[in-house]
Amino acid sequence: MSRKICIITGTRAEFGLLRWLMQEVQVSPGLELQIVATGMHLSPEFGLTYQEIEQAGFTIDAKVEMLLSADTATAVTKSMGLGLIGFADTYAHLAPDLIVVLGDRFEILAAATAALIAGIPVAHLHGGETTEGAFDEAIRHSVTKMSHLHFVAAEEYRRRVIQLGEQPERVFLVGGLGVDAIKRTTLLTREELEKSIDFKLAARNLMITFHPITLGNQSSAQQMSELLSALDKLQDINLIFTMPNADTGGRELSIMIEAFVARHKNARAYTSLGQLRYLSCLQYVDGVVGNSSSGLTEAPSMGIGTVNIGDRQKGRLSANSVIHCAPSQNSIHDAITRLYDSSYRLTLPQTVNPYGDGGASKRIVEILSNTPIGNLTKKSFFNIPVET
């Protein structure tokens, strides 16, 4: 009898990380793939990206509508409530043997909470990481405590999950899924990419991704204003923007980006590039600028630089190629200047990505196939021995 593995995805970036795992589950003997799409995937505002899942050859077994048309804290909280209801019905219908969730978004918190109450084992990917500038930090660790198998991207994260009381034999170091995707994707040529995005690349190009911050003294809009002021001076550099996530305050940032792009011929914004075009862009840009985890987890494997702004990713492991800067116009400008400095660029070919060298999907599927799951939901707290 096949073991039903239900993989849940709520955003375009998340699907990009989960795609190869889905494929491995799909072709693995003894496993049956179930896919649940939720969150931004089902929103016209964010590009109806569930279609990208279907275009990749997968069947979506259920859709959980949960996003409201507002992005206030109240609306996000209500969206989580709708998600709980939707996941409860979905699990009752699909009857999965185990669910797989990734990361730290509010959609995933709803999915894991519903699974906890339903008594369904949870496998959590990319736990143990820290992002001190967002409430995602608390969500990630909460999902860890509701999960039963843990697949982490680095040794430091493995130790942190164990520190949270998880049994060491249930915590597996498999590497980062973003690196896996880079290794397995055949990227577009420069000409194919330019045609696909309808934008001519210049001699110098940057990818810009800035998501809302949910903790801190400055507002997301204030930080975005500082970033756009710094970018305003870069007349000889083409700018490719990817739009923010559906987090608290995200729509205001999107409006600011659209206004900036309307005033600058060297800039273009995209609701959703999809994984192929996104990774292909990384192949031809000089670096990424913003506060996305991709700048720390994926960009180093592409041999390009990263300007990481503010505290949204504070605490996350980063390669030597990552330039950290404050969310101020001058700091961002100085960081971009350094990114183009010849001595800095000479160091990029020697960059070592702390998130591994690929192969995570195969490792995860092997463990999912061979681990007994009958008693997974019964957990005991692991106490780290105190040195005397």
Side-chain angles (χ1 to χ4, degrees), residues 204-208 231 234 237-239 285-290 295 299 303-309 320-325 331-348:
R204 301 202 294 176
N205 307 274
L206 291 173
M207 173 79 80
I208 316 296
L231 297 177
L234 306 179
I237 300 175
N238 276 9
L239 307 173
V285 299
D286 305 306
V288 296
V289 178
I304 60 174
T306 296
V307 172
N308 179 55
I309 301 170
N320 292 334
S321 58
V322 179
I323 303 168
H324 300 280
C325 71
S331 294
I332 297 167
H333 180 268
D334 290 346
I336 293 174
T337 300
R338 182 184 167 197
L339 184 141
Y340 280 104
D341 182 80
S342 57
S343 60
Y344 164 81
R345 302 199 69 77
L346 285 173
T347 68
L348 293 177

Side-chain angles (χ1 to χ4, degrees), residues 3 98 121 148-149 170 367-377:
R3 180 176 290 182
L98 181 142
H148 309 87
L149 295 175
R170 293 189 179 192
I367 295 164
L368 291 178
S369 299
N370 297 319
T371 300
I373 62 173
N375 293 315
L376 272 185
T377 55

Side-chain angles (χ1 to χ4, degrees), residues 279-311:
L279 293 179
S280 297
C281 281
L282 292 189
Q283 183 178 213
Y284 297 111
V285 299
D286 305 306
V288 296
V289 178
N291 61 6
S292 170
S293 61
S294 177
L296 280 69
T297 61
E298 296 170 30
S301 291
M302 302 296 287
I304 60 174
T306 296
V307 172
N308 179 55
I309 301 170
D311 290 341

